[in-house]
Amino acid sequence: QVQLVESGGGSVEAGGSLKLSCEASGYIFSGCGVAWYRQAPGKEREEVGGLTPDGKIKYTDTVKDRFIISHDNAKDTLYLQMNNLRLEDTGTYTCAAGQTDWYGTCVYGTWGQGTQVTVS
């Protein structure tokens, strides 16, 4: 099973940028897709965006035009470039890898430990 390790979090002022990395112990696209999630204090975890093996990328509306998901297959690493950060982007960011379940649904079952992003 692929293991995921995030890095790149930190504190930044509103309007600033951060780039998160998610390094996988194996081929990051061994399953049905990868994604970035975040969880703010007191709120439920939400999907920030995801990337499928065939290159399709989706973003949640609140980060469209500000965040960019990319990957480097040679490094088995997923990235999240975050620009024009807002206070509400504060939270723990976690990457996840999915496997297709019995019903054909991509289920994210492999998670990293998360990296904290604080926007002030």
Side-chain angles (χ1 to χ4, degrees):
Q1 186 176 4
V2 173
Q3 294 184 331
L4 307 173
V5 178
E6 302 94 338
S7 61
S11 297
V12 63
E13 292 185 351
S17 298
L18 280 175
K19 186 174 184 177
L20 306 183
S21 300
C22 172
E23 186 173 355
S25 60
Y27 180 52
I28 198 166
F29 287 116
S30 59
C32 52
V34 290
W36 284 100
Y37 281 77
R38 67 183 179 187
Q39 186 167 21
K43 294 188 177 180
E44 293 186 357
R45 184 171 59 193
E46 67 168 342
E47 183 174 346
V48 174
L51 173 65
T52 61
D54 61 357
K56 295 178 182 177
I57 302 177
K58 60 178 180 178
Y59 300 95
T60 191
D61 287 343
T62 56
V63 306
K64 281 181 180 178
D65 301 323
R66 298 190 298 123
F67 290 12
I68 301 171
I69 291 174
S70 63
H71 65 99
D72 186 332
N73 281 341
K75 296 181 179 179
D76 289 323
T77 301
L78 180 71
Y79 301 101
L80 180 65
Q81 176 67 48
M82 305 185 294
N83 301 316
N84 191 19
L85 283 161
R86 304 170 180 171
L87 298 179
E88 55 265 36
D89 293 320
T90 294
T92 300
Y93 285 70
T94 308
C95 61
Q99 297 288 336
T100 303
D101 67 8
W102 183 260
Y103 303 99
T105 302
C106 189
V107 177
Y108 292 107
T110 301
W111 297 82
Q113 83 289 349
T115 186
Q116 178 67 33
V117 172
T118 302
V119 184
S120 59

